[in-house]
Amino acid sequence: LAAALKFLSNVDLVWNWGIISREVFLAIWVAIFLTCGIYLLGKVRLPHDTPLDSIGPTRLLATVGCFAFCLYLFTGLYGAPLGELEAFFPPYGSRGDVVALKTGHESLKWESDFEAARTKSTETGRPLLIDFTGYACTNCRWMEANMFPLPEVQDLMKQFVRVQLYTDGQGERYERNRNLQEDRFGTVALPFYAILAPD
């Protein structure tokens, strides 16, 4: 069920339904693993289950693991970073004209339109950092959660006009982003980062 929810959240992101936010996703995962732990304790039985006389060490260890995982996920509901697992959750932020990535310290503002970002780069004289990313890209989420928050990375990113271009959505905007990546840089790999001079 937890894995199925991950793929359903990918569909939600790509089709822009807006149903499964990060908080909803985490709450459902907490409920799934809490229910699993209660079941492993034998407190809930299904009609065809064998009666449980005692709880063995393996079952007890699995139960403790489920409850500990629930507690860990619960901290994520209040904004705590969840490390390697962040790659599997819907990202922070919104899908408006400017995307904010929560980095644990402060939010970096990212443009979402290439032409607007290029114009800003030309006007300010700062180079343009392009992040080709995807809603269903686990590696992209991992980078955003584990590399972008590093203070040295943030300091470097502040020197650029930043634009995030999603390539796996539905519609003209995403097709334009895909074509830009393929035609200009010769790849469709995600994530893919490119730096352009202001000119």
Side-chain angles (χ1 to χ4, degrees), residues 45-58:
R45 287 184 53 211
L46 299 176
H48 301 291
D49 283 350
T50 306
L52 187 64
D53 297 327
S54 65
I55 299 173
T58 305

Side-chain angles (χ1 to χ4, degrees), residues 33 37 40 58-72:
F33 286 97
L40 288 170
T58 305
R59 191 173 186 128
L60 184 60
L61 189 61
T63 302
V64 170
C66 283
F67 288 147
F69 190 56
C70 282
L71 187 61
Y72 180 64

